[in-house]
Amino acid sequence: MKESKSEHYNFLELFSVQDGCIVIGKQKVTDIISNNNDTPTFIYDHEVIDSKIKGLKKYLPSSIEIHYAIKANPMPELIKHIQPQINGLDIASGKELQLALESGAQAGSISFASPGKSNEDLLLAIKSGITINLESENEFKRVVEISNRVGITANAALRINPNFELKSSGMKMSGGSKPFGVDSETAAELINRINNSSINFQGLLIYSGSQNLKHVSIIESQIKTFELAAELSRQTNTKIRQLNIGGGFGIPYFPGEHPLDLKPIGDNLFKLIEKYSDDFSNTQIIIELGRYLVGECGIYLCKIIDKKISRGKTFLVVNGGLHHHLAASGNLGQVIRKNFPVTVANKIGFKIIKANVVGPLCTPLDILAENLDLPEANIGDYIAVFNSGAYGYSASPINFLSHPHPNEIFI
């Protein structure tokens, strides 16, 4: 993937264009949606996913295991496509566990992280033989009780809330007071208790944050993660079988953002693996990625059903919006709203004008593009929202105002 020299990253580099129209899988996206009654549609391109995985394998040490976090996009066809190309899957619910197993993944390659697992979730996880990432002392006690009651040894790792964060991340998940994992200063005591219990202890999960485009920040976090894991291993005289160092790899969405530079991250991981070769000689080092693998593979497509001018501003009204793509709309109101990358799917290369793209909902929050430079469009044309492969359909209030649900198509 090349880096654009302009302020805006060129998202069209990921896809082909034919006769002014975006093409995925040798099909014009307008044909794909029109063949589905013009219902707003998320279209996922398998070639973009394959390219992302190939890029990771090029720069990361071969000993690093790549896991896909299903929460980013739980579409079954997409999971089944990714699963054979990587080393494991990470889940956050009982339903995602079913999806993981149905994809063909082996139980030993699946891990379960969530701060609020129900007893039913834990029972299913124990019976399935996957690794449960323990988030608290109480969850540890429940896993022991359920495991003993059903007579099946549970596989578990301990999620750590370290005393550092992933700087410059879009969502910080560690440092300070957090609902995720066990504070690092109390972790050694709980590790000792796990070692003395009936649980089969697998190792550690240290996940610090997500959506980061600064390799320097990721490298700093990974250095601290290895240091902390080695310290806990030594304190408790415990061999760590698995060390999930999280992910945090981001993708560009907004003006001024560019793709993450993987090379220095990979170079640093080579050094860390060498430095801690004695501590982690037989340890599976795992990187857990969701958005980075699938975010750029998706385009959200919807049809312009009205065009109007209001006091000098052009509004393109489409049949999709906030209820399908909450993130692109601004997540129900942000202090400073930023536009996702948006274009007119069938007017690539046409004259550019300023326009606003709004959905059909009775709320001023239903915005897909605000005061954005777009190809001049009319009723019947199609709006495309790039970077819609992660946290789109499944992370949106699709029942809001009872409009029809969108389609999902994997090509």
Side-chain angles (χ1 to χ4, degrees):
M1 189 182 303
K2 299 177 181 178
E3 181 172 295
S4 171
K5 299 300 182 184
S6 66
E7 182 186 11
H8 295 257
Y9 177 65
N10 183 9
F11 296 91
L12 281 170
E13 289 188 7
L14 298 168
F15 305 96
S16 300
V17 176
Q18 181 182 336
D19 301 326
C21 185
I22 299 170
V23 174
I24 297 179
K26 298 181 180 180
Q27 300 180 70
K28 292 182 179 179
V29 292
T30 51
D31 291 337
I32 296 171
I33 189 173
S34 61
N35 289 337
N36 288 273
N37 301 315
D38 284 335
T39 301
T41 301
F42 287 89
I43 307 172
Y44 309 124
D45 185 348
H46 82 276
E47 291 185 352
V48 176
I49 297 174
D50 296 348
S51 177
K52 298 294 285 189
I53 295 173
K54 183 178 179 181
L56 283 166
K57 291 181 177 179
K58 175 182 178 180
Y59 290 108
L60 300 185
S62 59
S63 60
I64 294 283
E65 297 195 358
I66 301 169
H67 282 208
Y68 171 57
I70 288 179
K71 60 179 174 287
N73 188 327
M75 184 187 190
E77 291 90 340
L78 182 145
I79 301 170
K80 289 177 182 177
H81 178 77
I82 292 176
Q83 188 273 133
Q85 301 184 64
I86 57 174
N87 306 104
L89 299 171
D90 293 289
I91 64 167
S93 69
K95 174 62 175 178
E96 288 189 359
L97 173 55
Q98 293 178 12
L99 291 171
L101 293 172
E102 289 168 2
S103 76
Q106 297 299 308
S109 69
I110 302 171
S111 61
F112 189 172
S114 170
K117 306 178 191 73
S118 68
N119 286 341
E120 289 75 17
D121 289 336
L122 295 176
L123 177 60
L124 181 61
I126 291 168
K127 287 184 174 180
S128 300
I130 69 168
T131 296
I132 301 167
N133 289 309
L134 302 172
E135 305 266 358
S136 69
E137 181 180 359
N138 284 329
E139 188 168 277
F140 159 65
K141 292 177 180 178
R142 287 195 291 140
V143 168
V144 170
E145 188 278 323
I146 296 171
S147 177
N148 290 339
R149 173 162 51 83
V150 297
I152 301 173
T153 301
N155 298 312
L158 184 62
R159 183 171 184 173
I160 307 295
N161 172 30
N163 59 359
F164 58 84
E165 61 183 26
L166 177 55
K167 297 176 182 177
S168 305
S169 59
M171 190 176 297
K172 295 180 174 63
M173 302 180 72
S174 68
S177 302
K178 300 291 181 183
F180 307 107
V182 175
D183 294 344
S184 55
E185 55 268 29
T186 63
E189 179 183 351
L190 188 51
I191 291 172
N192 286 328
R193 291 179 60 189
I194 296 172
N195 283 332
N196 291 320
S197 73
S198 58
I199 286 178
N200 183 15
F201 184 57
Q202 297 297 307
L204 304 173
L205 164 62
I206 305 177
Y207 199 111
S208 301
S210 65
Q211 184 46 26
N212 200 302
L213 291 170
K214 295 186 177 181
H215 66 268
V216 174
S217 297
I218 292 174
I219 287 171
E220 179 185 344
S221 176
Q222 289 178 346
I223 289 171
K224 292 179 178 179
T225 295
F226 271 76
E227 289 176 351
L228 175 57
E231 179 184 349
L232 289 172
S233 174
R234 294 165 191 165
Q235 282 182 5
T236 60
N237 193 29
T238 300
K239 281 293 183 182
I240 306 298
R241 299 178 188 175
Q242 297 178 355
L243 174 58
N244 185 332
I245 63 174
F249 295 13
I251 61 174
Y253 284 98
F254 309 118
E257 294 184 344
H258 299 290
L260 178 67
D261 189 354
L262 286 178
K263 187 178 185 306
I265 295 173
D267 291 345
N268 180 66
L269 284 170
F270 275 107
K271 295 176 183 177
L272 288 173
I273 290 171
E274 176 63 27
K275 180 178 179 180
Y276 292 97
S277 59
D278 290 339
D279 296 279
F280 305 129
S281 57
N282 294 307
T283 302
Q284 295 173 281
I285 308 296
I286 297 167
I287 282 184
E288 177 186 333
L289 301 169
R291 185 198 315 266
Y292 186 81
L293 294 180
V294 301
E296 291 165 301
C297 83
I299 288 178
Y300 173 65
L301 205 67
C302 49
K303 189 175 184 178
I304 299 172
I305 56 177
D306 199 1
K307 181 178 180 179
K308 59 194 292 187
I309 307 296
S310 175
R311 297 194 171 102
K313 290 189 175 183
T314 299
F315 287 86
L316 305 172
V317 184
V318 296
N319 62 345
L322 175 157
H323 52 316
H324 297 168
H325 204 324
L326 181 63
S329 74
N331 289 310
L332 293 178
Q334 296 173 335
V335 175
I336 300 177
R337 186 192 176 279
K338 296 180 180 180
N339 290 313
F340 262 50
V342 173
T343 193
V344 181
N346 58 310
K347 291 288 182 70
I348 306 300
F350 281 54
K351 175 185 174 182
I352 299 296
I353 66 167
K354 289 283 185 183
N356 301 271
V357 180
V358 299
L361 307 184
C362 285
T363 169
L365 297 176
D366 193 11
I367 302 169
L368 289 180
E370 189 171 23
N371 197 33
L372 190 64
D373 290 333
L374 291 171
E376 189 169 10
N378 294 300
I379 295 172
D381 288 330
Y382 296 88
I383 293 295
V385 182
F386 294 98
N387 281 13
S388 298
Y391 304 108
Y393 183 110
S394 64
S396 299
I398 58 175
N399 290 319
F400 185 44
L401 298 192
S402 302
H403 280 258
H405 292 185
N407 291 325
E408 288 185 293
I409 297 176
F410 185 79
I411 295 176

